[in-house]
Amino acid sequence: MPMSRRALAVAVVSALVLPLSACGSSDDGGGSTDASGAIEGDITFQTWNLRANFKSYFDGLIADFEKEHPGTHVKWIDQPAEGYPDKLSADAAGGTLPDVVNVSPDLLAPLAKAGLALDLDKAAAKYRSEYLDGAWTGQRIPGMTGTYAFPWYLNTGPLFYNKDLFRKAGLDPDSPPKTYDELFTDALQLAKKSDGEVATLANVPTIEDFGRYGVELMNKQGTGFAFNEARGVELLTRYKELYDAKALDPQALTATPESSGKKFLTGAVAMNPGSALDLENFKKQAPGLYKNIGITDQITSTGHVNMYVMGVMVNSRTKHTPAAVAFAHYVTDAQNQMSFAKKVAIFPSTAGSLDDPYFTKEDGTDETRVRIAAAKSLKNAVNYTPVLFSDQMKTALRNEVAKALQGRQSPRAALDNAVKACDRLLTQQG
């Protein structure tokens, strides 16, 4: 039964801060980085909140791997979504980290810095060409050389818009905004025509929005943030204009994905990001909206949409490196990723998989239309959230953005303060 990417925890989650001193370095004992030996031995595989919905899939996956590689045994551990970063941190500090671990890039970063993630550019370079470039590079850590996890599933989604609200504002319902200039112009018109009753956007700009706008987010060394540059200030200034005109929802400062979704359902907001799964929700909960739903691409100044990416990391201290690498690759190879993608609304990170008819052949349904559009955009998508951008940093940025929108400080001062706070948190990561 398909489930949302939020339930799969695809969206970047709480960053964990490892006690690096407790973990030591990659030179402290542990297993071999040579994955060319015999594939044998007992290994542990840890996933993140997947057992409840996909037990039969993973049981079959493990059974097939063990059959293909006699002499191996895979013990599957599944951890709940709540507290997963803390669990990883505790296992890393206690030397009990599983051999193969499901991680998002922000959870991978401290593990790699602690020397606990195997460098796949050294141990598994032969598999590099099997994955999309953006997915493979998404498993790299700024300031470090190497790739530290196999790319697993990806996700992205379109922008939905309410054609009826566009029509009432005198806008062409079949020509949604394609650029930021068009977006801001249309948003101001929607607010004006509705006397401030209809906002176009329901969320303040996040780090991904700055990335899509073409803002440089970090310096190339990965030692400091840079989103207070001129384009960043320009974007926040434009959001301030929307906020003042009520083209940005007044409750955006405290909005959650759920609250934004409800605003869109009730017609208080004209545009909202989503996925193919949302269409079924619209059909059930808001049939009037469903009849007037418009679907368009993410707006970006870079030509690249944002994607979320999951990975499968190999513990550098595993005692069975060949088996751990082989299994991590097996979980993420083209055949198994394709099989998983047909069970849940995610996308494979393997090269060529997005050309499968499942992602290219229209059948007349909106769900398939969204899936096809998302798959096409993922071929050159990027993960705009910096790997080192923690939850604390997201909060710091959000707080400063809120002050700017409320007029308590200028957009320039807000982003300067946010960069200072994030840089300070970055130094604390070790």
Side-chain angles (χ1 to χ4, degrees), residues 19-274:
L20 301 186
S21 59
C23 299
S25 71
S26 57
D27 298 326
D28 296 343
S32 168
T33 58
D34 183 6
S36 62
I39 299 174
E40 59 188 13
D42 294 354
I43 59 172
T44 51
F45 168 49
Q46 180 168 289
T47 53
W48 185 359
N49 195 33
L50 296 177
R51 185 182 294 273
N53 293 281
F54 305 108
K55 184 178 185 300
S56 60
Y57 171 79
F58 285 103
D59 283 345
L61 185 76
I62 290 168
D64 289 344
F65 177 80
E66 291 175 345
K67 183 177 180 180
E68 190 173 317
H69 299 285
T72 62
H73 175 72
V74 179
K75 179 183 179 181
W76 177 30
I77 304 167
D78 187 66
Q79 299 291 350
E82 185 176 354
Y84 190 67
D86 293 334
K87 175 63 175 171
L88 281 182
S89 181
D91 285 344
T96 56
L97 195 68
D99 300 283
V100 179
V101 187
N102 174 195
V103 288
S104 57
D106 59 323
L107 299 185
L108 173 64
L111 295 170
K113 285 188 171 186
L116 294 174
L118 189 67
D119 181 359
L120 300 180
D121 283 340
K122 295 179 179 177
K126 64 181 179 180
Y127 299 126
R128 166 69 182 87
S129 61
E130 296 181 19
Y131 300 89
L132 294 170
D133 285 341
W136 187 266
T137 58
Q139 308 300 330
R140 292 176 176 163
I141 312 301
M144 299 179 67
T145 58
T147 302
Y148 294 94
F150 284 103
W152 197 6
Y153 53 88
L154 311 174
N155 220 324
T156 192
L159 270 175
F160 292 117
Y161 67 99
N162 188 321
K163 289 186 174 183
D164 188 48
L165 294 179
F166 270 62
R167 193 179 296 112
K168 289 177 179 177
L171 298 170
D172 185 346
D174 296 316
S175 297
K178 300 291 186 184
T179 67
Y180 280 101
D181 284 340
E182 292 175 358
L183 172 64
F184 294 129
T185 299
D186 288 356
L188 291 172
Q189 183 167 333
L190 273 157
K192 183 178 180 180
K193 291 286 186 178
S194 67
D195 292 324
E197 293 297 316
V198 176
T200 296
L201 303 176
N203 295 283
V204 300
T206 63
I207 196 68
E208 293 95 338
D209 292 305
F210 285 97
R212 273 192 290 255
Y213 197 68
V215 177
E216 183 181 358
L217 303 179
M218 288 195 83
N219 63 32
K220 291 180 172 56
Q221 296 76 31
T223 57
F225 292 96
F227 52 82
N228 58 339
E229 55 125 319
R231 283 189 65 80
V233 175
E234 177 181 284
L235 178 64
L236 186 50
T237 300
R238 299 183 84 172
Y239 262 85
K240 166 65 172 164
E241 183 181 2
L242 296 187
Y243 186 75
D244 289 344
K246 295 187 178 180
L248 175 64
D249 186 71
Q251 296 177 349
L253 305 183
T254 57
T256 65
E258 290 73 25
S259 67
S260 299
K262 288 178 182 177
K263 290 266 186 178
F264 184 66
L265 279 176
T266 60
V269 170
M271 301 189 80
N272 204 53

Side-chain angles (χ1 to χ4, degrees), residues 272-293:
N272 204 53
S275 72
L277 292 176
D278 291 310
L279 290 167
E280 188 65 28
N281 187 41
F282 299 154
K283 194 182 298 184
K284 291 178 180 177
Q285 296 191 31
L289 170 64
Y290 183 76
K291 291 177 184 176
N292 286 285
I293 201 73

